[in-house]
Amino acid sequence: MKKRVFTVLGLMVPLLTACVGKPASEYEARPTQDCPVATTDAAGSLRLGYQVIASSELYLLDQALVEACMPNADVQWTRYPTGQDIVQGFAGDSVDMGFLGSTPSAKSLSKPLDLDVQVSNVNMVLGSSEALVAKDANSLQELKGKKIATAFSSTSHYSLLNALIGAGLDPKRDVEIVNISPDKLPAAWRSHEIDAAYIWDPALSEIKQDGHVLIDSAQVAKDGAPTYNLTLTSSAWAAQNPELLKTWKELYAWGSKQSVDNPEEFVRANSAQVGLSETDTEAMLDGVIMVQGAEQEKYLRESRQALVKTAEFLKEQGEVDVPLSAADAEKKVG
């Protein structure tokens, strides 16, 4: 069996252990498990771009199951700080499949990027796992004149803008929004560089310790702007590796089901990857809806609409030139 490879990109400064999971070197000693679905004999390579977010993909990574189910393939896991970094990985042809939010996905499917990628899976629906936390303000309106951090072009950024607009604030004039990746955000929070932040776990759990939540992505979704985490796949890779893609989808569906059938192990594996306690990791997972295999078609339909709406919003904000159309979403999602 070929050796699994791990790399870390975009991490140019020392990071907090709680935000980045284990060093890549620690994975090499993990034994490969038995494949729980039909193993494929297909050769090829699969370069996976992931973030440290409690999820089914982190469970599969921790259990070395991708390698077990694709024994003749070269599997490479690369850790990225944000979904936008994964988009850049696709643009630079260094990622075949990535796990990222609906906002950077919508951007990648819109012009000028217009990457040759497709949404092959809806991983989760985001809720309280992403939230806006403030130090002193007790309402969204009290954020006027404040400095708010988020990761640009992320689902948190999209939710923040929608929340501010919904509260009657102009994101460009009434507040200062600064771009800070989740790995650096807790340090900025502690140094009092920012007044509030909209971010996801595990950074969210850390800043909530001395801040309070004003709104989360579950409420933003209820207000009309839902967000998702998706699997984005290179169309060229998918065309060249149909057996690997088929096995991946079956394996991912099995992995997601473990959140229901084997929750203790699922939490334990994710805890090992995100570097937080099992209690905190379970709280993160409680803040999302883990999409099960039988629900894929339903959520793929929903995500098509959400991606088009997100792209149109990004156009209004000057983030894209030509937004993803409904016709193109039909071709590229599912």
Side-chain angles (χ1 to χ4, degrees):
M1 183 170 294
K2 297 185 178 179
K3 186 179 181 181
R4 67 197 321 218
V5 179
F6 294 86
T7 55
V8 181
L9 293 184
L11 308 180
M12 304 303 294
V13 297
L15 302 178
L16 298 172
T17 301
C19 294
V20 300
K22 297 179 182 179
S25 60
E26 291 189 20
Y27 294 111
E28 298 296 345
R30 291 194 60 80
T32 301
Q33 308 296 317
D34 292 332
C35 179
V37 299
T39 302
T40 178
D41 292 328
S45 64
L46 175 56
R47 300 169 298 174
L48 297 152
Y50 74 101
Q51 302 172 74
V52 181
I53 299 171
S55 58
S56 297
E57 55 267 21
L58 281 196
Y59 173 75
L60 298 178
L61 184 156
D62 185 80
Q63 300 295 299
L65 289 170
V66 180
E67 295 80 1
C69 295
M70 304 177 185
N72 296 320
D74 290 318
V75 177
Q76 176 178 331
W77 293 85
T78 301
R79 188 171 70 211
Y80 291 84
T82 69
Q84 184 59 27
D85 295 304
I86 294 176
V87 170
Q88 293 173 8
F90 277 110
D93 192 28
S94 57
V95 175
D96 299 314
M97 183 179 290
F99 314 106
L100 63 163
S102 47
T103 303
S105 295
K107 195 170 183 179
S108 73
L109 293 166
S110 301
K111 294 182 179 178
L113 289 178
D114 195 19
L115 300 180
D116 189 18
V117 294
Q118 60 195 50
V119 177
S120 55
N121 213 61
V122 181
N123 305 344
M124 63 179 75
V125 184
L126 302 179
S128 59
S129 61
E130 295 194 6
L132 175 58
V133 180
K135 291 181 176 178
D136 299 317
N138 293 307
S139 68
L140 288 166
Q141 289 76 12
E142 290 180 20
L143 290 175
K144 188 171 184 178
K146 303 289 188 181
K147 183 182 287 189
I148 309 171
T150 193
F152 279 10
S153 299
S154 67
T155 48
S156 284
H157 190 193
Y158 175 71
S159 295
L160 170 63
L161 295 176
N162 276 281
L164 293 172
I165 292 169
L169 296 174
D170 186 328
K172 295 182 179 178
R173 290 189 307 218
D174 292 334
V175 299
E176 180 184 358
I177 302 177
V178 295
N179 183 23
I180 302 180
S181 65
D183 50 279
K184 301 179 180 73
L185 198 147
W189 180 270
R190 289 194 304 272
S191 66
H192 305 292
E193 296 176 22
I194 53 178
D195 303 301
Y198 206 127
I199 201 64
W200 57 86
D201 281 317
L204 174 61
S205 294
E206 185 161 348
I207 67 173
K208 279 166 63 176
Q209 293 176 14
D210 58 351
H212 53 278
V213 173
L214 297 182
I215 193 170
D216 63 27
S217 294
Q219 183 59 54
V220 176
K222 290 179 182 178
D223 294 338
T227 48
Y228 305 82
N229 274 0
L230 310 169
T231 298
L232 208 61
T233 304
S234 161
S235 298
W237 180 89
Q240 294 167 5
N241 299 277
E243 285 300 316
L244 293 182
L245 180 58
K246 177 176 178 290
T247 300
W248 167 262
K249 288 186 174 184
E250 291 174 357
L251 178 60
Y252 199 91
W254 179 89
S256 295
K257 196 167 184 291
Q258 299 315 293
S259 66
V260 177
D261 292 350
N262 198 358
E264 291 184 1
E265 182 181 85
F266 193 87
V267 169
R268 187 163 53 249
N270 272 283
S271 172
Q273 296 304 318
V274 299
L276 295 182
S277 71
E278 292 182 21
T279 299
D280 287 343
T281 302
E282 186 174 11
M284 290 180 203
L285 292 166
D286 285 342
V288 302
I289 297 172
M290 201 72 63
V291 176
Q292 301 300 314
E295 303 171 319
Q296 273 299 317
E297 287 305 316
K298 170 181 180 288
Y299 282 107
L300 283 167
R301 287 194 300 272
E302 287 187 11
S303 67
R304 287 187 195 105
Q305 298 172 356
L307 284 165
V308 170
K309 182 176 180 180
T310 300
E312 291 170 347
F313 182 86
L314 292 174
K315 166 66 174 175
E316 293 171 3
Q317 299 298 314
E319 294 285 324
V320 303
D321 295 338
V322 181
L324 173 71
S325 68
D328 284 339
E330 286 290 332
K331 299 174 186 175
K332 298 221 171 189
V333 180

